[in-house]
Every structure is written in C-alpha cells, then in structure tokens.
C-alpha cells in the first residue's frame, strides 16, 4: 500500500521535486520565469501552496513531455490538473503515493500505456477525470494497447465524479464500482468496454449521470439501474445491447 511522506518534508523539497515536473513538461508558451528556484513557490504560475509553503495545487496548460516519478514526492498535493497538453508517456506509479490528492484531471493529452493500479490507492480522491487521450502511435501506425478499469477502484470510496472517457478502455466494467456509494457521475463513454452492465451499479444511490455510450457492451440495462432514485441522465446508445436506446432522462 502507498504510504505518506514524512512530516519533515519542506517547501524546499517541494521546489526540487516540482522542478523535475517543470523540466519534463516545459512549454515556453505557458510556463514563465516565475518557475525559478529563487522565487517563493506561491508566486509560481499554476502553483498554490498552504500556510506551510507546501504545494497543494498544480494546474498546467499546454505542457509537453512526461509526468516524472518525482510527482509522488509532493505529499501535500490536493489538486493535479493538466489541460490541452501534449503530455505523453505513462502515468507514473508513484502517483499512488499522493494520499492527500482530491482532484486528478489529465485530459486532452497523449498519455499512453496502462493506467497504473497504484492510482486506486488514492482513497481520498473525490474527482478522477481522465479523458480524450490521443493514444495513436504514429511510429507503428496503430492504436496503443488498451487500458482496463482495475477492480481495485472499489477502494476509492470518496469518489464523487469518475470520468474515464475516450482513453481506449477495454474489458469489462468491474462490479467493484458498485462500492463507490458517493458517486454522482460515472462516464466511461467512447471506449471499447465489453460484457454486460454489472447489476452492482444499482448500489449507487446518489448517481445522477451514467454515460456508457460508444462501447461494445452487451445484454440489457438492469431495471435496478434505470430506476436509481437520483438518475437524471442515462446514455448507453452505440453499444451491442438488446435494449439499446438513443438516450434516456428521468
């Protein structure tokens, strides 16, 4: 299991570790000269710190390169977001060490390789958004191997919003998602998920939005899922289901 970092980590340690992030994702169109070891962290563009000067938020636009393993040393980090970026490569498994992380948003990028199972160690995460990954490998002229939804996702009991859309997911929807009792939105559209829809989704009594469209799912939609008390939007068109309908709203 992931462990938290020792409490004697300082803002200077954070500076060194986040500079690795800068060096690996640097884009002159977005990063500026505030990213300098001589400056206080709370003056760096896209960085927020707490009262102790530790980094709690990184929000980056238009980067490129890779997310370095040193990201896992930012033990106070609560928000990590990249938008419209050319960031590529794999999510480092060290991300599973960020036990204070509440919001993870990696979208519109060129991430590849499997989603690390260690991401399921982030038990305090409230929002997980991974979508629109351009997984095409130009060198070999084909899509990269697909991701799966790890059954260990059922440990992430504080999740409220889960988006895993257009990231080349394959395989079944694990029934363990039914453990996520705080979930209000689940979007796994635009993938290659297969198999039947697990009836355990009917345990998600707070679910308002369920987006399953654009996959290869089979069977029928369980009535228990259709009749969830908070459901406002249910979409499962463009699958291989027997009762497929364009969309449905309560």
């Amino acid at each position: 299991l992931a462990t938290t970092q020792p409490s004697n980590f300082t803002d200077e340690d954070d500076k060194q570790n986040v500079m690795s992030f800068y060096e690996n994702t640097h884009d002159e169109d977005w990063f500026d000269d505030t990213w300098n070891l001589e400056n206080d962290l709370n003056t760096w563009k896209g960085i927020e710190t707490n009262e102790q000067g530790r980094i709690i938020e990184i929000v980056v636009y238009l980067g490129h390169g890779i997310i370095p393993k040193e990201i896992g040393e930012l033990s106070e980090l609560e928000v990590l977001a990249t938008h419209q970026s050319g960031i590529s490569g794999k999510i480092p498994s060290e991300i599973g060490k960020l036990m204070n992380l509440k919001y993870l948003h990696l979208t519109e990028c060129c991430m590849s390789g499997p989603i690390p199972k260690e991401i399921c160690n982030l038990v305090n995460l409230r929002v997980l958004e991974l979508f629109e990954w351009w997984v095409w490998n130009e060198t070999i002229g084909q899509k990269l191997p697909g991701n799966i939804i790890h059954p260990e996702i059922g440990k992430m009991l504080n999740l409220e919003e889960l988006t895993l859309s257009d990231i080349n997911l394959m395989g079944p929807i694990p029934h363990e998602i039914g453990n996520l009792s705080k979930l209000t939105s689940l979007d796994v559209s635009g993938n290659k998920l297969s198999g039947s829809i697990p009836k355990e989704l009917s345990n998600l009594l707070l679910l308002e939005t369920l987006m399953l469209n654009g996959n290869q799912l089979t069977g029928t939609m369980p009535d228990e899922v259709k009749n969830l008390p908070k459901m406002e939007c249910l979409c499962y068109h463009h699958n291989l289901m027997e009762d497929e309908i364009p969309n449905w709203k309560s």
Side-chain angles (χ1 to χ4, degrees), residues 5-10 13 54:
Q5 296 295 331
S7 59
N8 60 355
F9 267 52
T10 67
D13 295 312
R54 300 291 308 281

Side-chain angles (χ1 to χ4, degrees), residues 152-212:
E152 288 83 357
I153 199 169
K155 299 188 301 182
M156 304 175 76
L157 298 179
N158 285 301
L159 272 182
E160 298 171 9
E161 299 179 24
L162 175 59
T163 300
L164 304 172
S165 176
D166 291 300
I167 59 172
N168 206 29
L169 286 174
M170 298 181 178
I173 299 173
H175 66 82
E176 287 85 356
I177 286 183
N179 296 339
L180 307 180
S181 60
K182 296 182 180 181
L183 212 58
T184 62
S185 176
L186 173 59
D187 182 355
V188 292
S189 61
N191 290 295
K192 296 180 180 178
L193 294 169
S194 58
S196 59
I197 295 172
K199 62 181 180 180
E200 286 82 2
L201 295 187
S202 64
N203 296 332
L204 304 178
L205 299 180
L206 299 181
L207 198 64
E208 299 173 0
T209 300
L210 178 57
M211 307 291 289
L212 304 174

